[in-house]
Each structure stands twice: as C-alpha cells, then as structure tokens.
Amino acid sequence: MTVDQAYAYLEQSVVAGRLAQAYVIEASPRGNGLVLANRLMQRLFCTDTEKPCGVCNGCRGVAHATHPDLHRIEPEKKSRVISVDAMRAFQHAFVTTSFSGGWKVGLIMNADCCHASSANAFLKTLEEPPEQTLFLLLTDQVQRLLPTVLSRCQRISLAGGDAVLPPGDAYDAVMDVLRHMGGMGRIGAMSSAAELARVMKSLKESLVKEEKTLAREEEQDIDAETIDGRAGARYREVRQQILMMILCWLRDGLLLFTGSDQDLLRFPEELEYLRTAVPASYQEGLQRIRIMEAAITQMNRNMPESLTLGHAFLSLYGTSRS
Ligand SMILES: [Zn+2]
C-alpha cells in the first residue's frame, strides 16, 4: 500500500467512526511511516473544517510533535530499547482526559525496540483501552513484535511493491556510479567503490545537519546523542535503498542477458548503460547478485562500509574482461 492509499483507508474509518484502537504501521519509522502517522494525527487534531489544513495549531502541533494530546515514545539513545520505566510514564499520559476534549494519540516509534517487559506493560493498556485513544506503532520489523500485541492491533503495511528508491540527489549520484562501474576492470571497480563511499559519507553528513535543524525547530531540549541516533537511523534507511538500487541494477543486467522483456527492467531508461552490466554468462550474473547480497548483509552487521564496498566491487567487476 502507498501512503496515499493507507491514508484514504484510515480517513474512511475516521469518517465512519470506526477507527481501531491501535494500528501497527509497517514502514520505515522515520520515513513514510511517520508521514502517514502525522497525516492521520493532523486529521484528528485539526481545528479547521478542511481537515487536515496543515496550518492550524492542531496541525502544527503534530508537525512539531508538541501537541499536548500527542504522546510519543522512542528507544533510548544508548540502549536502543524502550524501557519499562519509559513505557509506564508513557501509559500514564492516557489515564487523564485530553486537553482539547477530543482524541489522544500515543505514537510508539520503532515499536520493535520494546523490551519484553515494556511490551507486556503496554499490553495491559491495549486490553483495557481508554476512550477516544489511538495508538500507532511504527516499525520496520513487525516480526519482532509480541504476537499478543500484534493480535490487538490492525496492521497496515507500506512495505512491498517495488524497492523504494533513494531521494533525488542520492539517486543521481548513485546512478552515475552505476553507469560507469562496469567495463573498466580493477581500476574502474575500485574508483567506483570509492566514489560510492564518498556519496554515502556526504549523505550521512547532510542528514546530521538536517536533524540538527529539525531539533532546533522542535524547540525541545534534544541532546547530541539523540540527534546522532535519529540521523543514523535515517541514514541506514537511505543506505538500504542505495544498496537495493545496486542490486536492481545487477538484476537488470541478468534480465538483459536472458533476453527478458524490457518491461521487466527496473531502469529501462538506462538501457544504453545497462549493457555494461550484462554478465558474460548466466552463472556470472547470479554470482554478482550473490556478492552484492552478501555485502548488504555485512553492512547491516556494521562491517566498515568503504572496505565492504571495495571488496564487493572488486569481486563484481575487478576480474572481468577489461
Ligand atoms: Zn489544521
């Protein structure tokens, strides 16, 4: 489901007065998951007739996470865990009635980071939900939620479908690397890996900058560690998109080798350059995909990026006919 489709569905439930008490939103928690959650909360808190208007106090309170009836909990910076103490404080906010006399919303960022004891504590709230209260659980690892929690929530998945591409600038920079990484042998492979590492580094820096600006706008006391944590989480999302983009590129090369229909290509507009990604044999094509998948796994296990990329690119193209 796209964000628009999911929102249309939720909006219908709001209008019909049939909103569930809790939704698990399966999506990137600081990416499209938050976009959907914010839009729904603005729909509930907006004080204008055209909801959500985006400019009233209610809508702005959601955008800046300062609305008094919006309570948010996220993993602690160091442990990356939502502790039971933090959960109890969060739950306590729902004992009293709302400030505005309307909805109260509890937003659980990275709900999969709940410690088992905090998930169990939260379960009590789900079993006896306060009135006019909505819980939104954001996670990209739905399999890590307790089944008992999951069974009391409606599930909305923004995952699936085509791999999400990285945002504009990063997409252009990575595409430039992809266009030139085949066909220059060892030196080409190494310089492509170095260029990709450079793109990722500058992406990381710009995300830290962005999170600092956002923190200033939120006008709350947010420490450097939290900012780093947020930027790091967003960076890992975009990095995953970049790595998937490389995987799709290699897959396109294999599809061209097998003479598949061009409608199946992920990057049909790059046909000219994709010819450099066509393997010499089906085996080689498969092997390249396996190499890249292994590199992705290693990076997700926190292996050093530039080293992993360098090795992977050398194995991909370093030995091919140059
Ligand atoms: Zn509004």
Side-chain angles (χ1 to χ4, degrees), residues 46-47 53-54 56 59:
C46 184
T47 54
C53 70
C56 71
C59 288

Side-chain angles (χ1 to χ4, degrees), residues 187-201:
I187 303 221
M190 280 165 73
S191 72
S192 293
E195 176 58 17
L196 191 61
R198 197 196 58 76
V199 169
M200 287 175 157
K201 184 163 173 265

Side-chain angles (χ1 to χ4, degrees), residues 268-305:
E269 68 283 2
E270 299 291 334
L271 199 56
E272 199 66 22
Y273 289 101
L274 269 176
R275 304 214 181 276
T276 64
V278 179
S281 67
Y282 186 74
Q283 278 310 320
E284 186 184 50
L286 270 188
Q287 182 59 19
R288 285 180 180 171
I289 288 172
R290 291 203 189 103
I291 290 169
M292 199 57 217
E293 281 174 343
I296 293 174
T297 307
Q298 284 170 346
M299 279 194 259
N300 287 340
R301 287 183 187 149
N302 294 325
M303 298 283 279
E305 261 169 28

Side-chain angles (χ1 to χ4, degrees), residues 143-158:
Q143 73 283 0
R144 289 179 56 199
L145 296 185
L146 282 187
T148 40
V149 168
L150 206 50
S151 68
R152 284 175 174 81
C153 301
Q154 261 196 47
R155 187 163 160 185
I156 290 183
S157 178
L158 301 181

